[in-house]
């Protein structure tokens, strides 16, 4: 999976979770500040990504720094998927 696929999956998950269209995300969009996510919507987003792209996240691996922006979250998803393939 490449960066654009992750961003597209993120847009789809956020559209479902926030119940409004989320499109055109760029790397510098802040998840909490710009999109007004909170801890509940973040967990819902993770569950939606689990269903759509098979993302499996260990709660021990969650770090607030990974959820700052679209770029940091995309890096987190790609790193998590790489680790899962390597395991």
């Amino acid at each position: 999976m490449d960066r654009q696929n992750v961003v597209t999956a993120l847009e789809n998950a956020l559209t479902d979770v926030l119940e409004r269209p989320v499109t055109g995300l760029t790397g510098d969009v802040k998840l909490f500040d710009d999109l007004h996510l909170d801890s509940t919507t973040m967990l819902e987003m993770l569950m939606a990504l689990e269903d759509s792209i098979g993302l499996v996240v260990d709660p021990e691996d969650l770090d607030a720094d990974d959820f700052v922006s679209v770029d940091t979250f995309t890096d987190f998803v790609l790193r998590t998927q790489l680790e899962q393939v390597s395991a």
Side-chain angles (χ1 to χ4, degrees):
M1 178 166 278
D2 65 15
R3 292 188 78 77
Q4 187 55 51
N5 289 347
V6 173
V7 172
T8 299
L10 179 59
E11 288 175 343
N12 292 334
L14 288 170
T15 294
D16 289 343
V17 169
L18 298 175
E19 298 178 343
R20 63 178 168 84
V22 177
T23 59
L25 290 180
T26 59
D28 60 342
V29 172
K30 306 288 186 231
L31 297 177
F32 289 95
D33 295 338
D34 297 334
L35 296 176
H36 309 291
L37 297 185
D38 58 25
S39 59
T40 301
T41 53
M42 186 61 70
L43 289 174
E44 291 173 354
M45 181 192 72
L46 286 171
M47 292 187 319
L49 288 171
E50 183 177 32
D51 291 342
S52 67
I53 63 172
L55 179 67
V56 178
V57 178
D58 182 344
E60 297 290 321
D61 294 337
L62 296 176
D63 185 337
D65 291 341
D66 294 326
F67 296 91
V68 172
S69 68
V70 170
D71 269 347
T72 61
F73 185 74
T74 300
D75 291 342
F76 168 76
V77 170
L78 293 172
R79 183 174 64 249
T80 300
Q81 288 189 325
L82 183 61
E83 289 169 359
Q84 290 170 0
V85 170
S86 299

